Amino acid sequence: GFHLSGTVTEPAMQSEPETVCNVAISFDRCKITSVTCSCGNKDIFYCAHVVALSLYRIRKPDQVKLHLPISETLFQMNRDQLQKFVQYLITVHHTEVLPTAQKLADEILSQNSEINQVHGAPDPTAGASIDDENCWHLDEEQVQEQVKLFLSQGGYHGSGKQLNLLFAKVREMLKMRDSNGARMLTLITEQFMADPRLSLWRQQGTAMTDKYRQLWDELGALWMCIVLNPHCKLEQKDSWLKHLKKWNSVDVCPWEDGNHGNELPNLTNALPQGANANQDSSNRPHRTVFTRAIEACDLHWQDSHLQHIISSDLYSNYCYHDNTENSLFDSHGWPLWNEHVPTACARVDALRSHGYPREALRLAIAIVNTLRRQQEKQLEMFRSQKKELLHRGVTSITNLEGWVGHPLDPIGTLFSSLMEACRVDDESFHGFSDFMENMGQYKSLEYQHLPAHKFLEEGESYLTLAVEVALIGLGQQRIMPDGLYAQEKVCRNEEQLISKLQEIELDDTLVKIFRKQAVFLLEAGPYSGLGEVIHRESVPMHTFAKYLFTSLLPHDAELAYKSALRAMRLLVLESTAPSGDLSRPHHIASVVPNRYPRWFTLSHIESQQCELASTMLTAAKGDVRKLETVLESIQKNIHSSSHIFKLAQDAFKIATLMDSLPDITLLKVSLELGLQVMRMTLSTLNWRRREMVRWLVTCATEVGVYALDSIMQNWFTLFTPTEATSIVATTVMSNSTIVRLHLDCHQQEKLASSARTLALQCAMKDPQNCALSALTLCEKDHIAFETAYQIVLDAATTGMSYSQLFTIARYMEHRGYPMRAYKLATLAMAHLNLSYNQDTHPAINDVLWACALSHSLGKNELAAIIPLVVKSVKCATVLSDILRRCTLTTPGMVGLHGRRNSGKLMSLDKAPLRQLLDATIGAYINTTHSRLTHISPRHYSEFIEFLSKARETFLMAHDGHIQFTQFIDNLKQIYKGKKKLMMLVRERFG
């Protein structure tokens, strides 16, 4: 009965042949204490062959022959039988056992050998001694290897999931009261502590990944469960405490809140409130993921009140009238448990984890009743201080320890315990041995007895309690914790809890709970996250309020809006109103947002605030009063232009849904928000600004002609001059807008007049960027057009660049004003400066165009522009190009304005072309010298081509041939050192 061996045959598969495995299993006091199998599979859990043999023995005990221990059988043999037995054994397994057999024989025959000093011999089939340790077989080496492997994969290949499965296995072992649970967790923890990345991250100052961080959290929570085992022996707890303290003292042991020392007091103490709360934390050691488990080693289960709560459904006291903070019973006579809430909930988790679901449920109900009583007390307290607090408008009252996002997840524990009770039938609660048998009987007290469900109000159930405790936790006012990880955990836990709540269908009973909690949250002042006055560093309620709003809306719209509007604030981005303003003492004035580096999750929080506002806008469609209220709240509480823009777009989409007529009030809300965005981003850089401006014009178009007129008349508070002319006015004046709005002539003219006024104002303010748009917008009105042209002339001498002036000049020519174009071209030339080597400058085309325009207008205009060209352009190739063009045709040949033309080509010997020719030759000479200063052999051939072009220009002068020969001779003299180059010059030019 202590040893089972057998062969297990695994049938052949398509690719694998049939295999036979030899399995051996040892037992001790109803536990499998060791296993071996020839399959060689390495895993934490038993292989399939071990399981198969065990099940065969359980299901078919008659098929398994029982033998006496082998020592008894040998005792019955004589000498010949013993010799035969040994020789046969060696023959069957000679390769495996012969060396061992020979060694043992030698030792037995040696008088002084160790084997002869001991009486008798071991027998593996005879079972263990009564004093020996007995526990289920766990391959410790394999556990360590697996965990090491998963950790080394750093979260890839599903290793995180595998580690979570290991943790789930530990929980399962605890539930089955398997003592290996703590053993296995110890092995896992050792490997986690040995992870080389810990010291690497600490040295580099980098945070561990979120998923890995969550594994450490689960590790800490599991140790908390283990040390809170209500039936563990004292020596076990001491051994665990030694391990925990050892790990806790290692300097790379992860801290509880990720990367900041947590400033929370010991979990076994209640939290201090107010002035004494922020003691100096610099001397306090950092709290690690094991700190809570270490502290929990001081907790015990011996309190008689606690014993009665968890062991009886009938424990109550109707004659109890102590109404102090630490009362044992409430006004109904139902038991309360006034322990630090996360600690009390850790007890519930421990009871559930160790297979005591009924006891866990009883304690959970007592805790929820305690929390509800605490709410009533807080409400009474606030009512007594309300006047003073509202007058001050600020409060120092705050809860340093939030229950949602807490390392021990107290609300999650209560919620899942109560929800489990809704799902399971009563039978499953009797699945484990009775708790009282293990704890030792307590004398029954003389209280009135009522069944457990009597500890609930009429109509309440485990489900209503679960929902209520979730709402209490989510609405709890708490301070934003330190550190990125702790803050992300607050958001994550809140979202997880809400998603679980969303799976529950709300009936009338649950709606009552929602109403009750919403009313409390609104009225409980600083003790509630939705109170009138709360600490400015409180965790915002946007995510929770959105859920509360959508849940309450169909049943109590007023309460839904009241809660959501109260939750819209984001106090950390605001500063208190001046102390002198007592007309609205608790009004908080908005200031330019000061980004608090301590609030790492601020961008997520702001997006949740935006989501809440968007949800309200959607719901308020069609209700003018509510829309106005929501709009006010958005304008007062949201400080980010991108979020206000998103809300404006949301409102616009909802207002203009395809299947219905536009909601004009919602459209106006959309426009109002859009205008606010324009004002907010007018003087700050925003990469989406262009998109925002275009969108605003679209929105104003939908609202109507008066909205477009209004934004043009007030353009300077909303847009830059460039935006106002190039986007706003241009879009308003487009055909598509006129068609979209079905405008009559009178309305069109009114809009056009506003657009022209805007254009002229913008041109005055920023002529460089707005002049061209202004001219375009004023084309149809002679006076306005003249005014715009005059603005350009006035600005041309001071504020405008040649490229802007050339652009406007070309536009003028295109519109049929060549003389005005010419005037602007001459002004542009005055600003230009082209040096000798800028032969690819973008302005060259403009210069050629300006000369062509002057040439087409006549000799006088050409004569006037050439001195400007000579002054501004020093580039020989450009000058020769202009010269060539001027000699090809007669000036004024275009015959503009019916002018008569003499038909004669201009002479190169007389002004103005003589001046241009001299300048061009001079430019070639200067450029040649400049080039030769830094010339390299690879540019020689290019230089010779350049000289050929120069010769063409020289030859245009009547004495050009002589001039060019002198020029070449000069070069040969000055640069005679460049022999190869001068040889090339001689070959080409003599």
Side-chain angles (χ1 to χ4, degrees):
F2 300 112
H3 189 86
L4 173 67
S5 54
T7 55
V8 179
T9 306
E10 200 165 322
M13 303 294 281
Q14 286 174 342
S15 57
E16 300 287 330
E18 181 184 277
T19 51
V20 178
C21 297
N22 297 316
V23 182
I25 302 175
S26 298
F27 304 94
D28 185 9
R29 281 158 274 191
C30 303
K31 299 182 186 77
I32 293 176
T33 54
S34 74
V35 299
T36 54
C37 178
S38 61
C39 72
N41 285 352
K42 286 286 180 192
D43 199 355
I44 291 172
F45 312 116
Y46 301 151
C47 68
H49 314 110
V50 169
V51 175
L53 183 63
S54 307
L55 290 175
Y56 185 81
R57 168 68 184 80
I58 291 164
R59 288 172 183 166
K60 298 183 178 177
D62 304 339
Q63 305 289 314
V64 180
K65 194 175 176 186
L66 277 174
H67 293 282
L68 287 168
I70 198 79
S71 52
E72 291 292 327
T73 310
L74 293 173
F75 188 68
Q76 292 168 21
M77 293 182 189
N78 62 29
R79 198 202 169 289
D80 289 346
Q81 288 172 316
L82 279 169
Q83 180 144 6
K84 186 179 272 190
F85 172 78
V86 173
Q87 283 181 236
Y88 265 98
L89 183 64
I90 291 168
T91 305
V92 174
H93 299 289
H94 71 276
T95 52
E96 293 152 55
V97 302
L98 190 58
T100 310
Q102 187 63 61
K103 180 171 172 276
L104 287 171
D106 291 346
E107 285 187 12
I108 286 169
L109 290 172
S110 164
Q111 288 298 313
N112 304 324
S113 66
E114 199 177 321
I115 209 167
N116 284 325
Q117 311 304 312
V118 181
H119 180 68
D123 179 1
T125 64
S129 145
I130 191 75
D131 302 325
D132 286 0
E133 272 291 309
N134 67 100
C135 57
W136 286 86
H137 171 70
L138 179 71
D139 188 338
E140 297 197 356
E141 193 183 328
Q142 203 46 45
V143 172
Q144 288 169 312
E145 283 305 310
Q146 290 263 4
V147 177
K148 198 180 207 169
L149 174 69
F150 294 147
L151 286 173
S152 69
Q153 290 169 346
Y156 303 106
H157 318 295
S159 57
K161 192 178 175 190
Q162 293 299 327
L163 287 164
N164 272 318
L165 286 172
L166 276 183
F167 288 145
K169 191 72 191 167
V170 172
R171 282 199 180 270
E172 191 186 313
M173 291 161 97
L174 296 182
K175 204 164 232 173
M176 302 305 292
R177 322 256 172 91
D178 179 348
S179 59
N180 274 338
R183 239 173 99 207
M184 183 148 149
L185 191 63
T186 305
L187 296 169
I188 292 171
T189 310
E190 289 286 6
Q191 290 307 311
F192 265 74
M193 289 301 297
D195 189 342
R197 290 177 298 171
L198 288 179
S199 53
L200 193 69
W201 284 330
R202 184 61 63 88
Q203 283 162 13
Q204 294 171 345
T206 48
M208 57 176 79
T209 62
D210 219 32
K211 281 185 177 168
Y212 186 57
R213 190 49 253 208
Q214 287 171 42
L215 291 170
W216 276 102
D217 281 357
E218 178 63 0
L219 202 61
L222 277 169
W223 274 113
M224 189 82 183
C225 275
I226 281 171
V227 301
L228 278 177
N229 178 352
H231 300 126
C232 69
K233 298 189 181 84
L234 208 55
E235 57 268 25
Q236 278 180 312
K237 200 183 259 195
D238 286 345
S239 147
W240 296 332
L241 184 58
K242 275 194 192 108
H243 277 302
L244 289 165
K245 282 184 169 172
K246 182 185 82 179
W247 297 322
N248 190 63
S249 64
V250 178
D251 63 348
V252 294
C253 183
W255 297 345
E256 182 177 74
D257 63 352
N259 52 353
H260 281 66
N262 198 323
E263 295 183 11
L264 297 179
N266 182 309
L267 67 82
T268 51
N269 303 332
L271 280 166
Q273 287 283 13
N276 305 324
N278 301 318
Q279 315 144 9
D280 176 35
S281 60
S282 53
N283 313 327
R284 221 177 286 154
H286 287 302
R287 297 180 64 86
T288 77
V289 287
F290 301 116
T291 305
R292 289 180 186 273
I294 291 168
E295 291 169 355
C297 288
D298 295 336
L299 300 173
H300 60 80
W301 295 83
Q302 267 55 59
D303 183 277
S304 63
H305 182 57
L306 175 62
Q307 283 299 316
H308 285 295
I309 290 172
I310 59 183
S311 57
S312 168
D313 288 337
L314 309 169
Y315 178 52
S316 55
N317 181 355
Y318 296 106
C319 309
Y320 189 91
H321 296 301
D322 176 7
N323 196 24
T324 58
E325 201 173 318
N326 295 316
S327 305
L328 298 181
F329 299 90
D330 64 11
S331 54
H332 296 94
W334 301 340
L336 302 171
W337 182 240
N338 282 299
E339 192 172 25
H340 172 234
V341 175
T343 310
C345 296
R347 288 186 190 272
V348 174
D349 192 27
L351 288 168
R352 279 173 73 212
S353 301
H354 290 285
Y356 302 109
R358 209 176 248 304
E359 288 77 5
L361 184 63
R362 289 171 186 144
L363 182 55
I365 292 169
I367 294 169
V368 176
N369 282 331
T370 310
L371 291 180
R372 297 202 285 196
R373 182 171 179 274
Q374 189 183 316
Q375 274 198 332
E376 289 164 21
K377 293 273 174 208
Q378 287 175 340
L379 191 56
E380 285 169 24
M381 212 181 297
F382 173 58
R383 281 178 179 154
S384 67
Q385 305 167 325
K386 187 170 183 175
K387 204 171 179 183
E388 181 203 344
L389 268 175
L390 290 185
H391 181 73
R392 284 215 316 266
V394 288
T395 177
S396 59
I397 298 171
T398 184
N399 199 338
L400 287 181
E401 189 173 43
W403 298 330
V404 172
H406 190 282
L408 298 177
D409 191 19
I411 300 296
T413 299
L414 292 175
F415 181 79
S416 41
S417 300
L418 293 160
M419 288 303 287
E420 223 167 67
C422 307
R423 281 194 294 270
V424 298
D425 54 68
D426 265 10
E427 293 306 306
S428 64
F429 276 98
H430 300 297
F432 302 104
S433 61
D434 188 64
F435 189 86
M436 289 303 280
E437 286 175 24
N438 298 321
M439 292 305 295
Q441 290 291 333
Y442 277 82
K443 282 183 189 166
S444 159
L445 299 178
E446 291 177 13
Y447 295 124
Q448 268 188 291
H449 297 304
L450 283 171
H453 62 263
K454 292 285 184 183
F455 292 159
L456 308 178
E457 299 275 3
E458 196 179 330
E460 282 187 336
S461 63
Y462 296 135
L463 178 63
T464 63
L465 272 196
V467 169
E468 184 159 17
V469 82
L471 298 180
I472 289 172
L474 289 163
Q476 179 209 22
Q477 183 282 330
R478 64 256 189 205
I479 203 93
M480 179 62 86
D482 273 339
L484 170 64
Y485 179 71
Q487 290 178 19
E488 282 178 341
K489 196 170 177 182
V490 167
C491 300
R492 188 169 54 244
N493 279 29
E494 181 179 40
E495 281 158 16
Q496 285 167 345
L497 195 51
I498 288 171
S499 72
K500 284 179 191 165
L501 282 170
Q502 283 166 334
E503 292 167 14
I504 302 167
E505 209 172 311
L506 297 191
D507 57 17
D508 293 347
T509 315
L510 290 174
V511 169
K512 253 186 218 159
I513 300 285
F514 269 81
R515 271 206 182 100
K516 170 189 158 187
Q517 280 303 323
V519 168
F520 166 80
L521 290 169
L522 288 167
E523 291 181 2
Y527 299 99
S528 143
L530 293 178
E532 254 176 287
V533 180
I534 53 166
H535 193 280
R536 70 192 300 272
E537 296 254 333
S538 292
V539 171
M541 294 278 121
H542 309 125
T543 313
F544 172 47
K546 182 185 159 191
Y547 168 67
L548 205 55
F549 178 78
T550 49
S551 304
L552 278 171
L553 193 63
H555 311 285
D556 189 337
E558 283 305 312
L559 187 56
Y561 276 101
K562 204 173 175 190
S563 310
L565 289 164
R566 179 70 63 76
M568 274 291 289
R569 63 199 169 186
L570 184 45
L571 299 185
V572 79
L573 294 186
E574 297 176 358
S575 73
T576 319
S579 53
D581 176 18
L582 295 176
S583 56
R584 295 186 64 190
H586 55 281
H587 168 67
I588 309 276
S590 169
V591 291
V592 177
N594 174 5
R595 295 277 157 190
Y596 283 78
R598 214 178 73 76
W599 282 52
F600 298 99
T601 51
L602 194 57
S603 62
H604 173 75
I605 290 165
E606 285 185 288
S607 66
Q608 291 299 305
Q609 182 190 34
C610 179
E611 283 291 311
L612 173 61
S614 183
T615 308
M616 283 198 281
L617 280 176
T618 310
K621 184 178 179 179
D623 186 325
V624 178
R625 190 178 61 82
K626 288 212 166 64
L627 280 172
E628 283 172 359
T629 314
V630 176
L631 173 64
E632 260 178 53
S633 177
I634 292 168
Q635 290 175 323
K636 179 179 170 223
N637 295 300
I638 298 187
H639 303 281
S640 149
S641 58
S642 57
H643 287 123
I644 296 177
F645 183 47
K646 184 191 177 297
L647 287 171
Q649 289 175 304
D650 287 353
F652 184 75
K653 278 178 202 154
I654 305 158
T656 54
L657 288 171
M658 293 302 285
D659 57 352
S660 58
L661 287 167
D663 181 316
I664 194 65
T665 313
L666 197 47
L667 267 178
K668 284 178 182 170
V669 166
S670 175
L671 180 66
E672 199 53 53
L673 291 171
L675 295 172
Q676 188 179 344
V677 173
M678 290 299 106
R679 288 190 285 268
M680 286 171 85
T681 56
L682 179 58
S683 55
T684 58
L685 288 172
N686 190 308
W687 62 275
R688 294 183 69 190
R689 174 76 187 176
R690 228 181 140 67
E691 175 200 352
M692 290 167 169
V693 174
R694 287 185 189 285
W695 178 87
L696 186 82
V697 178
T698 309
C699 180
T701 308
E702 285 299 318
V703 174
V705 65
Y706 69 91
L708 288 173
D709 199 35
S710 170
I711 63 169
M712 286 200 292
Q713 287 188 19
N714 300 300
W715 71 267
F716 47 88
T717 63
L718 306 167
F719 314 109
T720 63
T722 317
E723 290 166 347
T725 51
S726 65
I727 304 176
V728 182
T730 311
T731 312
V732 172
M733 296 307 296
S734 67
N735 276 333
S736 58
T737 307
I738 293 164
V739 173
R740 176 85 188 86
L741 291 172
H742 313 294
L743 300 181
D744 58 31
C745 296
H746 174 69
Q747 288 172 316
Q748 282 183 42
E749 182 42 44
K750 190 169 185 311
L751 269 189
S753 169
S754 293
R756 289 193 293 268
T757 307
L758 170 150
L760 294 173
Q761 288 171 346
C762 293
M764 287 288 285
K765 196 161 183 172
D766 183 4
Q768 294 97 320
N769 298 308
C770 301
L772 184 56
S773 299
L775 286 164
T776 313
L777 287 163
C778 296
E779 275 174 2
K780 291 180 182 171
D781 184 287
H782 179 69
I783 297 170
F785 189 79
E786 288 302 315
T787 310
Y789 175 64
Q790 197 53 49
I791 291 169
V792 176
L793 291 181
D794 293 345
T797 49
T798 51
M800 295 183 79
S801 69
Y802 61 83
S803 61
Q804 289 164 338
L805 288 167
F806 274 131
T807 307
I808 297 168
R810 283 175 179 252
Y811 159 81
M812 278 292 184
E813 188 201 27
H814 178 66
R815 299 307 302 165
Y817 296 106
M819 284 311 291
R820 287 182 175 183
Y822 168 75
K823 171 78 175 157
L824 290 168
T826 58
L827 290 169
M829 288 301 293
H831 291 282
L832 182 66
N833 187 10
L834 273 184
S835 66
Y836 76 93
N837 58 355
Q838 289 182 295
D839 50 1
T840 56
H841 194 282
I844 291 170
N845 278 334
D846 289 321
V847 174
L848 294 173
W849 167 82
C851 291
L853 174 68
S854 310
H855 190 268
S856 70
L857 288 171
K859 189 177 177 182
N860 294 341
E861 285 78 10
L862 187 61
I865 205 164
I866 280 176
L868 295 173
V869 172
V870 168
K871 190 179 175 190
S872 301
V873 180
K874 300 288 180 275
C875 181
T877 50
V878 177
L879 289 169
S880 64
D881 200 358
I882 296 168
L883 187 63
R884 190 177 50 77
R885 290 175 189 220
C886 289
T887 55
L888 290 177
T889 54
T890 315
M893 277 300 279
V894 182
L896 288 161
H897 304 304
R899 283 191 191 180
R900 277 176 6 100
N901 192 345
S902 62
K904 284 183 184 175
L905 286 172
M906 292 176 75
S907 166
L908 285 166
D909 293 338
K910 296 178 187 164
L913 291 192
R914 177 75 214 188
Q915 191 184 356
L916 182 59
L917 177 59
D918 289 346
T920 310
I921 290 170
Y924 269 118
I925 293 168
N926 289 339
T927 306
T928 302
H929 288 300
S930 296
R931 279 193 166 195
L932 284 170
T933 324
H934 304 293
I935 198 162
S936 66
R938 63 197 171 108
H939 293 127
Y940 285 177
S941 57
E942 189 191 320
F943 176 72
I944 297 297
E945 291 309 312
F946 174 76
L947 282 182
S948 300
K949 281 188 181 168
R951 182 167 60 178
E952 286 170 20
T953 303
F954 272 83
L955 293 178
M956 292 172 88
H958 77 276
D959 57 348
H961 182 73
I962 299 161
Q963 277 191 55
F964 187 70
T965 307
Q966 283 175 346
F967 173 52
I968 294 294
D969 289 345
N970 260 350
L971 290 183
K972 285 190 278 194
Q973 186 59 37
I974 298 168
Y975 301 102
K976 58 187 174 192
K978 300 184 187 291
K979 288 179 180 152
K980 190 179 178 191
L981 178 59
M982 290 307 120
M983 188 182 78
L984 292 172
V985 169
R986 262 188 227 98
E987 278 175 14
R988 176 70 71 92
F989 306 109

PDB file of all heavy atoms in Angstrom, residues 118 440 682 712 718 803 825:
ATOM      1  N   VAL A 118      25.042  -0.362  10.702  1.00  0.00           N
ATOM      2  CA  VAL A 118      23.599  -0.112  10.865  1.00  0.00           C
ATOM      3  C   VAL A 118      22.860  -1.428  10.915  1.00  0.00           C
ATOM      4  O   VAL A 118      23.113  -2.336  10.101  1.00  0.00           O
ATOM      5  CB  VAL A 118      23.064   0.734   9.671  1.00  0.00           C
ATOM      6  CG1 VAL A 118      21.578   1.022   9.840  1.00  0.00           C
ATOM      7  CG2 VAL A 118      23.857   2.025   9.539  1.00  0.00           C
ATOM      8  N   GLY A 440     -11.901  25.287  16.962  1.00  0.00           N
ATOM      9  CA  GLY A 440     -12.218  25.012  18.371  1.00  0.00           C
ATOM     10  C   GLY A 440     -13.512  25.721  18.729  1.00  0.00           C
ATOM     11  O   GLY A 440     -13.710  26.862  18.340  1.00  0.00           O
ATOM     12  N   LEU A 682      -5.203  80.922 -30.577  1.00  0.00           N
ATOM     13  CA  LEU A 682      -4.821  82.037 -31.464  1.00  0.00           C
ATOM     14  C   LEU A 682      -3.355  82.430 -31.295  1.00  0.00           C
ATOM     15  O   LEU A 682      -2.651  82.649 -32.266  1.00  0.00           O
ATOM     16  CB  LEU A 682      -5.741  83.249 -31.212  1.00  0.00           C
ATOM     17  CG  LEU A 682      -5.458  84.499 -32.040  1.00  0.00           C
ATOM     18  CD1 LEU A 682      -5.551  84.196 -33.531  1.00  0.00           C
ATOM     19  CD2 LEU A 682      -6.413  85.628 -31.679  1.00  0.00           C
ATOM     20  N   MET A 712     -16.693  86.819 -39.272  1.00  0.00           N
ATOM     21  CA  MET A 712     -15.867  87.732 -40.088  1.00  0.00           C
ATOM     22  C   MET A 712     -15.744  89.094 -39.414  1.00  0.00           C
ATOM     23  O   MET A 712     -14.694  89.722 -39.440  1.00  0.00           O
ATOM     24  CB  MET A 712     -16.455  87.853 -41.487  1.00  0.00           C
ATOM     25  CG  MET A 712     -16.202  86.580 -42.311  1.00  0.00           C
ATOM     26  SD  MET A 712     -16.350  86.836 -44.075  1.00  0.00           S
ATOM     27  CE  MET A 712     -18.079  87.154 -44.251  1.00  0.00           C
ATOM     28  N   LEU A 718     -10.360  85.835 -33.206  1.00  0.00           N
ATOM     29  CA  LEU A 718     -10.414  84.400 -33.502  1.00  0.00           C
ATOM     30  C   LEU A 718      -9.299  83.900 -34.402  1.00  0.00           C
ATOM     31  O   LEU A 718      -8.844  82.765 -34.261  1.00  0.00           O
ATOM     32  CB  LEU A 718     -11.759  84.061 -34.183  1.00  0.00           C
ATOM     33  CG  LEU A 718     -13.038  84.485 -33.451  1.00  0.00           C
ATOM     34  CD1 LEU A 718     -14.234  84.371 -34.377  1.00  0.00           C
ATOM     35  CD2 LEU A 718     -13.232  83.627 -32.210  1.00  0.00           C
ATOM     36  N   SER A 803       9.738  88.638 -53.453  1.00  0.00           N
ATOM     37  CA  SER A 803       8.928  87.515 -53.955  1.00  0.00           C
ATOM     38  C   SER A 803       7.436  87.810 -53.776  1.00  0.00           C
ATOM     39  O   SER A 803       6.619  87.517 -54.662  1.00  0.00           O
ATOM     40  CB  SER A 803       9.299  86.207 -53.257  1.00  0.00           C
ATOM     41  OG  SER A 803       9.066  86.327 -51.877  1.00  0.00           O
ATOM     42  N   ALA A 825       6.543  95.602 -60.064  1.00  0.00           N
ATOM     43  CA  ALA A 825       7.765  94.898 -60.461  1.00  0.00           C
ATOM     44  C   ALA A 825       8.989  95.762 -60.191  1.00  0.00           C
ATOM     45  O   ALA A 825      10.026  95.276 -59.718  1.00  0.00           O
ATOM     46  CB  ALA A 825       7.689  94.522 -61.936  1.00  0.00           C
TER      47      ALA A 825
END
